[in-house]
Amino acid sequence: MSEAKPATLIRPEVRSLSAYHVADASGYVKLDAMENPYTWPEDMTQAWLECLRHVAVNRYPDPTARRLAEGLRQSGGVPQGAGVLLGNGSDEIIQIILMAVAGPEVTVLAPEPTFVMYRQLALSLGLRFIGVPLDEDFGMDLPALRAAIVQHRPAVVFLAYPNNPTGNLFERSAMEEILALAPGLVVVDEAYEPFADASFMADLPRFGNLLVMRTLSKLGLAGLRLGYLAGAPAWVGELDKVRLPYNINVLTQATAEFALAHGEVFAAQTAEIKSEREKLFLALAAMAGVRPYPSRANFILFRCHGQPAGAVFDGLKRAGVLIKNLSAAGGVLVDCLRVTVGTPAENRQFLDALAHVLGR
Ligand SMILES: *Cc1c(COP(=O)(O)O)cnc(C)c1O
């Protein structure tokens, strides 16, 4: 009998983590995960299937996905001279960056609340993670950030732009101050760039410590798992050594190339989602006891007064609508819930259910 036990073998920082939890959404109007609700026109689906017919699944993928990387450069406006690295979702890119810098006493920093994987992946790799609370308007607390950066000298700062789960863009001047002050890398996570009308991509040549991260997930390809990172070749070249050789599989490469060639379909869907976002915001703002926060992403964070967020969440779920309850995170998120912008019919169902739950 082996004497191996998790308590003696698994690192304590791993044992104290909780696995990333994903709610079972079967049967619900699914507005919890910032997915694009739209499918493709039938002729596009047929053309895609025809394209997949020619994919050699018996062969290893192109390890650098050269053609796809070139397509992403073009569509993403990556500046000339910048390097590009592809990941199995931007989650994997976060992991690659952190693996490359990991070591004793190495610190990772981000304003919080923010995307939970920065903390989760840092802790799982044995890194120290410092979360600096946002101010009440979800902006950066610059004095606190300055002090934390000077004190902890983070190897990596993550700035989600726009931020998840709050939906706002940080002030550009504040972002630039962090870029100038940080002694290490600053990763600007532009997962919601399709909805934001703002980006730091064009600023890459100005900041030697800037890395810009994007994903196709929120655009409408969450099932593919494809993200990319752009930055100075000196950084990207080092990070590339940590990447697993065949991290982007052949089906993802072929499908993403196909999708980029049909960019107008995604642009139209994105425009529709942005327009629905504004309608949803106004409808929420018009409901008594509900305060939505302006969003530059494909979701809206809102606060309920007079009813605990848990009761609102449960009531919506009973009505068949699944959103995200963020109240348990505490701090500025007390009583906050987050709803993904869906189709007009889904948004209507959500609003009707919310009105019912709130007794209006
Ligand atoms: C959803 C999200 C991601 C994860 O994207 P994947 O490419 O699907 O791994 C990264 N960052 C932020 C801020 C997100 O909200």
Side-chain angles (χ1 to χ4, degrees):
M1 263 296 269
S2 161
E3 294 188 1
K5 287 193 193 70
T8 53
L9 212 55
I10 304 295
R11 284 182 282 121
E13 60 269 25
V14 174
R15 277 187 284 127
S16 61
L17 289 172
S18 316
Y20 187 81
H21 173 73
V22 178
D24 178 10
S26 41
Y28 290 99
V29 174
K30 190 173 188 311
L31 300 176
D32 66 329
M34 283 78 86
E35 292 144 330
N36 174 336
Y38 296 106
T39 53
W40 300 351
E42 182 53 29
D43 58 339
M44 181 170 156
T45 301
Q46 282 306 326
W48 173 51
L49 292 174
E50 190 52 40
C51 150
L52 291 184
R53 186 189 284 282
H54 305 288
V55 172
V57 285
N58 58 319
R59 302 291 179 193
Y60 281 105
D62 171 356
T64 56
R66 267 216 352 261
R67 227 177 20 223
L68 173 56
E70 190 47 43
L72 291 169
R73 276 179 177 284
Q74 298 284 332
S75 70
V78 176
Q80 287 286 329
V84 167
L85 173 136
L86 273 51
N88 189 345
S90 36
D91 288 350
E92 190 193 37
I93 297 174
I94 299 167
Q95 189 181 47
I96 288 172
I97 295 167
L98 294 180
M99 283 194 293
V101 301
E105 305 299 304
V106 174
T107 299
V108 177
L109 183 146
E112 279 192 317
T114 191
F115 187 50
V116 293
M117 293 310 288
Y118 310 145
R119 175 186 279 274
Q120 175 94 0
L121 288 168
L123 296 182
S124 76
L125 290 164
L127 295 157
R128 293 198 307 158
F129 184 89
I130 305 287
V132 180
L134 294 174
D135 67 25
E136 277 174 17
D137 302 319
F138 306 138
M140 285 195 218
D141 180 345
L142 271 178
L145 275 165
R146 282 187 204 112
I149 288 172
V150 169
Q151 186 188 345
H152 299 289
R153 314 271 314 151
V156 185
V157 175
F158 285 100
L159 301 172
Y161 187 79
N163 191 34
N164 172 14
T166 54
N168 58 309
L169 289 170
F170 298 127
E171 296 279 347
R172 178 167 256 278
S173 57
M175 301 273 292
E176 295 199 4
E177 183 176 336
I178 302 298
L179 275 158
L181 191 66
L185 290 167
V186 176
V187 179
V188 175
D189 180 350
E190 299 189 346
Y192 299 97
E193 182 273 339
F195 314 97
D197 298 310
S199 172
F200 274 80
M201 190 65 90
D203 298 279
L204 275 175
R206 290 177 54 213
F207 298 100
N209 60 341
L210 169 62
L211 298 173
V212 175
M213 190 167 67
R214 299 257 181 98
T215 175
L216 299 195
S217 293
K218 295 359 187 295
L219 180 69
L221 297 163
L224 269 195
R225 311 306 298 129
L226 183 68
Y228 65 100
L229 184 76
W235 290 118
V236 172
E238 295 300 326
L239 298 175
D240 200 43
K241 299 175 189 172
V242 179
R243 182 181 64 82
L244 291 173
Y246 303 114
N247 64 330
I248 312 299
N249 71 69
V250 288
L251 296 173
T252 295
Q253 291 193 30
T255 303
E257 283 178 40
F258 175 85
L260 292 180
H262 294 77
E264 73 288 349
V265 171
F266 296 92
Q269 294 180 346
T270 303
E272 177 73 17
I273 292 166
K274 284 164 73 180
S275 140
E276 278 301 306
R277 174 183 71 196
E278 300 318 309
K279 290 181 202 159
L280 187 56
F281 179 87
L282 291 175
L284 285 169
M287 290 173 94
V290 177
R291 177 173 178 201
Y293 293 92
S295 168
R296 298 290 287 270
N298 63 341
F299 60 83
I300 293 178
L301 184 79
F302 63 100
R303 201 183 294 272
C304 286
H305 300 283
Q307 279 233 35
V312 175
F313 175 82
D314 290 340
L316 288 171
K317 211 171 161 189
R318 277 196 296 278
V321 180
L322 184 67
I323 64 167
K324 180 88 178 170
N325 178 11
L326 294 158
S327 195
V332 290
L333 293 181
V334 166
D335 287 334
C336 283
L337 299 125
R338 184 190 66 198
V339 61
T340 304
V341 180
T343 63
E346 289 172 333
N347 300 335
R348 174 46 48 207
Q349 230 175 312
F350 158 71
L351 287 166
D352 289 347
L354 182 63
H356 181 76
V357 168
L358 297 176
R360 329 220 189 266

